[in-house]
Structures are given as structure tokens and as C-alpha cells.
């Protein structure tokens, strides 16, 4: 290689070095503007499931005790369906007992010769992430943890989770279950993506909002006054009363294993805005809370719930709908209530109304406030993504008729029929010529 060629080669190497030094980090920062120190994360509007921020949100990762969000859902569903009651007593199996004695895991000690109420076990699970208590509840609901895991996977499929595997009710690695693991091999662990976990949180908050009643308890004593009394400090240290207290946080579930790292699914409400955040494979116990704070700060600072269109609004493209056999040929349609959604601050002008009618025309008599369809919005910007297909519908409002239209009298109906006939006849003649 000549001197000039060597210089060109060195220049090329220098350019490549400068690219990776300057351009590549800038690109990474663009991909993740919050520069979260976690492997995956997502931030979601709890009202609609609209995704506000995501990082590697489709990648399946071990989710540790965030698994218990799904376990809690199934228990709350059983209570709602009257299959269980909060004060129902239950005994403890040898399996649940043996797991509960391992205090290197999160646990409250259970006894074989004692009965525990559903409420006691649920509080231990939701506040203290007690694994023996979780297994006892799973067995109570389904007869065995194996059957409960089948219910978990069925429910995950029903919800529309996409990247998941559930092998136990707790989120522990199967190696911690003393050879009694209900599914998978000895080293298996539950996996799901950040979006999947957010969807679990979205569904439990929507279907069983009472979950927050217990999830928000900062500390409680299990079996106070007994030999088994144990103080349960909530592992969610972002509850306002605890170490990393954050205004508005009232749930939902932490998790950690060697494989999962440090995970956290949070929910917080401020100014009528409820957000759901998920961070997975954080670097440290405190780090998951610090990264969650970044997510929630971003959400509350950059988004607002705004009334885009008031009640009684008529979309310019569709202010009325035809009426057959009525005293009037059309009836006005308008929104039944304000259309209020979560949007990025300052972007209200980027939303336009979109009407979807259930029918092209009505037949008299027509009642006032009769439902005829829905009004949605279209956004002049990047495509909006939701956790579920019905997300856009959760950001819509009903369209209703603005007045009553009575059925026309006999002679009016005759005249309308004649008019309709001649209109049809003229159209046929025009087709011929």
C-alpha cells in the first residue's frame, strides 16, 4: 500500500471511529429519549391502553413476582363470581407449607394445622409477595397449582398477551419449588413482554379496581398477636409513605429473581390521569424505582387529559341522518357527552372528529337521544398504538339523535311514497339515456 493509500485508510478508520463515538450514541438516545437503565419498559394510559412510551416492549423477559398480577386477577375474578369469599377459610397443603418456611424467599410462615382466610393469604401475597400464601390461594381456586397454571395461560390467551409463558403461580424460578413445580422443567421461569405485563395491569385495574385497596397498603402485620406475627412492609417502595414515595402511586407489583433482575409494574394517578408503567430487568433494587420515576415524570409532564369536543358537538362531515316515514326527512345527531382523551400537551389541534354510524338511515318514530353510532378522533401524527384492539373505542363517545321525529300521518306517507317512486323513475330514465 502506498503512502497516499495508507493515509486514505487511516482517514476512513478515523471517520468510522467518530461515527460510533458521536452518531451511534445519538441514535441510541433518539431510540430511548429517557435513557432508561432497564432492558425493557412501557408507559401506558390506564384509561384506554394507549402506549405513550416503549423500549424493547415486545421482548419476552422473566417477570418474577409481577406474575402475581395475573394470579391476583384470577382470585379477584373467583371472588366476583361468588366462587370464593374473602372470609372463606382454607387449610394449607404440605407443598404450600414447605415453600412458606423458606425465609430466603418472600414469605409469611404458614402452619399445616391452621386455617387461614382468603383475605389473610391475599394480603400476604399482594403486600409482601408471600410465595407460600400464593400457592395456597392457587390450590384453593383450582384444586392444584398445575390446574391454576393452566387457568393462567388460558386467561393470558383470552386477554391477547403475545409473548408469554407461565409455569407457576408465584414467579419464582422452578428450582426454588423443591421439585414440586407444577409445569416446565426444573430451571423454567415465567416469561412475558413489558407490553404483556402492562396489559395484565390494564385488565386488573379495569375489571377489578378493588385491587388497589390492598395494593396501596404500605405496611401491615400478618396474624398480629400470634406466634407467627410478621411485619409486612410493602415491597412497592414508591407508595407515598415509603422510601421512594411518589405522589399518586397506589400499586401494583414488584418482582426480582436472578434471571429477571429487578422489575416493577407501577400505577399512579394525578389530576384525573392514571398511568401504568412497567420496567423489566433493572440493574438494582433501588434502580427499578428510579427508572419508574423517570417514566411517570415523563408521562405526567408531557400528557394531559383534554376535552377535544363538547357534549352536543356535531361533526361537520355528518350533522344528520336520513329518516324514513317520519314527519321530517332527517334528524340531527350529536355527541352524547364530551370526548375527553389523554393527549400530548399542545397537540389538541392535531385531532379531528371521525363518525361511525350503526345505520345509514332511521325509520320513524325516532326517539330523542337514540344511539346511532360513535364519534372517534383521527390524529395527524405518528401512528398511535394501543394494548388492545378496542383501544380506539375506549377513546370514543356515543352519537345520539338531537330530537324526536314522529311517524308521518297516512296522507304524508302516501305523498312520500309517490315522491320516492318518481325519484326512482327519473333515475331509471337517466340510465337509459
Amino acid at each position: 500500500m502506498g503512502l497516499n493509500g495508507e493515509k486514505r485508510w487511516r482517514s476512513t478508520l478515523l471517520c468510522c471511529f467518530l461515527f460510533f463515538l458521536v452518531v451511534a450514541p445519538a441514535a441510541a438516545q433518539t431510540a430511548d429519549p429517557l435513557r432508561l437503565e432497564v432492558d425493557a419498559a412501557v408507559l401506558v394510559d390506564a384509561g384506554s391502553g394507549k402506549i405513550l412510551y416503549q423500549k424493547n416492549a415486545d421482548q419476552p423477559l422473566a417477570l418474577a413476582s409481577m406474575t402475581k398480577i395475573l394470579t391476583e386477577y384470577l382470585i379477584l375474578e373467583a371472588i366476583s363470581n361468588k366462587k370464593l369469599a374473602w372470609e372463606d377459610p382454607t387449610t394449607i397443603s404440605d407443598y404450600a407449607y414447605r415453600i412458606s418456611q423458606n425465609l430466603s424467599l418472600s414469605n409469611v410462615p404458614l402452619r399445616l394445622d391452621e386455617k387461614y382466610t382468603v383475605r389473610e393469604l391475599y394480603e400476604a401475597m399482594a403486600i409482601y409477595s408471600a410465595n407460600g400464601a400464593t400457592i395456597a390461594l392457587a390450590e384453593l381456586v383450582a384444586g392444584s397449582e398445575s390446574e391454576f397454571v393452566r387457568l393462567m395461560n388460558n386467561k393470558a390467551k383470552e386477554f391477547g398477551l403475545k409473548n408469554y409463558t407461565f409455569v407457576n403461580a408465584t414467579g419464582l424460578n422452578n428450582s426454588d419449588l423443591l421439585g414440586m413445580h407444577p409445569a416446565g422443567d426444573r430451571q423454567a421461569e415465567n416469561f412475558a413482554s413489558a407490553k404483556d405485563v402492562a396489559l395484565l395491569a390494564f385488565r386488573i385495574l379495569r375489571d377489578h379496581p378493588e385491587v388497589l385497596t390492598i395494593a396501596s397498603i404500605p405496611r401491615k402485620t400478618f396474624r398480629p398477636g400470634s406466634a407467627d406475627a410478621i411485619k409486612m412492609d410493602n415491597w412497592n417502595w414508591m407508595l407515598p409513605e415509603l422510601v421512594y414515595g411518589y405522589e399518586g402511586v397506589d400499586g401494583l407489583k414488584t418482582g426480582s429473581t436472578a434471571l429477571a433482575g429487578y422489575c416493577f409494574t407501577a400505577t399512579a394517578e394525578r389530576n384525573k390521569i392514571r398511568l401504568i408503567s412497567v420496567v423489566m430487568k433493572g440493574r438494582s433494587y433501588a434502580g427499578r424505582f428510579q427508572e419508574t420515576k423517570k417514566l411517570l415524570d415523563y408521562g405526567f409532564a408531557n400528557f394531559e387529559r383534554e376535552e377535544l369536543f363538547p357534549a352536543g358537538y356535531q361533526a361537520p362531515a355528518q350533522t344528520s341522518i336520513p329518516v324514513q316515514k317520519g314527519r321530517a326527512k332527517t334528524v340531527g345527531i350529536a355527541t352524547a357527552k364530551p370526548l375527553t382523551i389523554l393527549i400530548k400537551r399542545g397537540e389538541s389541534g392535531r385531532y379531528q372528529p371521525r363518525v361511525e354510524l350503526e345505520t345509514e338511515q332511521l325509520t320513524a318514530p325516532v326517539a330523542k337521544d337514540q344511539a346511532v353510532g360513535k364519534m372517534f378522533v383521527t390524529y395527524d401524527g405518528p401512528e398511535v398504538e394501543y394494548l388492545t384492539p378496542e383501544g380506539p373505542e375506549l377513546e370514543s363517545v356515543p352519537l345520539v339523535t338531537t330530537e324526536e321525529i314522529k311517524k308521518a300521518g297516512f296522507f304524508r306517507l302516501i305523498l312520500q311514497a309517490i315522491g320516492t317512486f318518481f325519484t326512482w323513475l327519473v333515475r331509471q330514465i337517466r340510465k337509459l339515456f
Side-chain angles (χ1 to χ4, degrees):
M1 181 183 293
L3 183 59
N4 290 336
E6 186 176 345
K7 286 182 178 179
R8 284 195 298 271
W9 175 245
R10 287 178 178 175
S11 296
T12 302
L13 285 177
L14 180 60
C15 288
C16 291
F17 175 75
L18 290 173
F19 173 84
F20 285 106
L21 187 66
V22 178
V23 178
Q29 184 174 347
T30 301
D32 181 17
L34 301 184
R35 291 193 280 187
L36 298 180
E37 294 183 12
V38 295
D39 279 16
V42 69
L43 180 69
V44 174
D45 170 27
S48 66
K50 181 190 292 181
I51 296 174
L52 311 177
Y53 167 93
Q54 57 182 307
K55 172 186 177 180
N56 297 336
D58 292 306
Q59 180 182 350
L61 294 169
L63 68 156
S65 279
M66 294 194 302
T67 295
K68 294 183 175 82
I69 298 172
L70 179 53
T71 302
E72 289 173 18
Y73 186 100
L74 291 170
I75 293 162
L76 292 174
E77 183 179 58
I79 292 171
S80 177
N81 293 337
K82 309 298 183 186
K83 294 180 180 178
L84 284 184
W86 284 111
E87 303 311 317
D88 282 352
T90 184
T91 54
I92 303 302
S93 69
D94 181 67
Y95 172 35
Y97 163 77
R98 289 175 63 188
I99 297 300
S100 78
Q101 303 307 302
N102 184 352
L103 298 185
S104 67
L105 306 174
S106 186
N107 268 313
V108 295
L110 303 175
R111 293 179 181 269
L112 288 170
D113 56 353
E114 288 280 349
K115 288 188 176 181
Y116 300 84
T117 66
V118 170
R119 186 180 302 277
E120 284 179 306
L121 295 172
Y122 184 96
E123 288 179 346
M125 172 182 65
I127 297 170
Y128 205 51
S129 203
N131 292 292
T134 302
I135 292 168
L137 285 169
E139 293 174 333
L140 180 61
V141 169
S144 69
E145 191 183 7
S146 297
E147 178 61 15
F148 190 83
V149 169
R150 188 186 68 81
L151 295 179
M152 293 173 75
N153 282 289
N154 286 348
K155 186 62 70 173
K157 183 179 180 180
E158 176 190 323
F159 284 168
L161 273 66
K162 292 183 170 57
N163 300 291
Y164 65 92
T165 304
F166 292 102
V167 296
N168 61 56
T170 58
L172 292 172
N173 189 285
N174 273 351
S175 62
D176 291 316
L177 297 178
L178 306 177
M180 296 179 284
H181 50 278
D185 62 40
R186 184 176 174 79
Q187 298 299 324
E189 197 161 321
N190 296 335
F191 274 72
S193 70
K195 279 184 190 173
D196 290 333
V197 180
L199 179 51
L200 292 177
F202 175 73
R203 285 302 302 260
I204 201 169
L205 289 171
R206 190 176 77 175
D207 300 344
H208 301 289
E210 67 273 19
V211 67
L212 297 179
T213 303
I214 294 175
S216 61
I217 296 174
R219 54 180 65 88
K220 190 165 188 174
T221 299
F222 179 75
R223 292 231 146 175
S226 74
D228 295 328
I230 183 170
K231 184 181 177 184
M232 301 186 297
D233 284 333
N234 200 314
W235 293 114
N236 175 4
W237 285 9
M238 288 188 79
L239 291 174
E241 303 89 341
L242 300 181
V243 182
Y244 297 102
Y246 188 93
E247 180 189 349
V249 167
D250 50 7
L252 196 54
K253 195 70 197 73
T254 59
S256 63
T257 64
L259 183 61
Y262 295 90
C263 309
F264 183 35
T265 299
T267 183
E269 185 174 26
R270 290 183 183 178
N271 301 319
K272 298 182 179 179
I273 297 173
R274 177 170 288 282
L275 301 177
I276 296 167
S277 66
V278 179
V279 296
M280 301 186 73
K281 202 148 191 180
R283 309 298 182 250
S284 67
Y285 189 95
R288 59 180 160 188
F289 301 124
Q290 293 161 355
E291 303 310 290
T292 295
K293 181 180 184 300
K294 291 180 187 177
L295 272 174
L296 294 176
D297 281 349
Y298 169 78
F300 288 122
N302 289 280
F303 294 86
E304 61 185 344
R305 195 164 296 284
E306 185 165 332
E307 180 182 308
L308 297 177
F309 303 100
Y313 176 81
Q314 292 186 293
Q318 186 86 48
T319 60
S320 64
I321 186 171
V323 176
Q324 286 186 325
K325 300 182 180 180
R327 294 185 180 179
K329 292 184 177 180
T330 62
V331 63
I333 58 174
T335 54
K337 59 183 180 179
L339 199 161
T340 302
I341 66 172
L342 191 69
I343 66 170
K344 206 159 192 178
R345 292 185 186 275
E347 289 196 348
S348 58
R350 303 184 72 173
Y351 290 86
Q352 298 299 322
R354 176 174 62 86
V355 169
E356 284 190 10
L357 296 177
E358 296 172 355
T359 179
E360 293 183 357
Q361 61 183 8
L362 299 171
T363 300
V366 175
K368 186 177 184 294
D369 295 326
Q370 181 174 325
V372 295
K374 292 184 178 180
M375 192 175 84
F376 298 77
V377 290
T378 57
Y379 174 60
D380 176 23
E383 184 178 357
V384 178
E385 187 177 352
Y386 298 85
L387 288 175
T388 64
E390 63 265 28
E393 190 166 334
L394 296 173
E395 293 190 318
S396 69
V397 291
L399 285 170
V400 296
T401 54
T402 59
E403 59 184 322
E404 178 187 11
I405 303 294
K406 292 182 178 180
K407 188 173 182 178
F410 176 76
F411 290 107
R412 186 186 291 268
L413 289 174
I414 293 294
L415 291 173
Q416 287 180 0
I418 293 171
T420 301
F421 171 75
F422 277 108
T423 300
W424 172 83
L425 185 60
V426 169
R427 286 176 181 168
Q428 299 308 310
I429 292 172
R430 285 177 177 172
K431 287 181 181 179
L432 292 175
F433 295 99

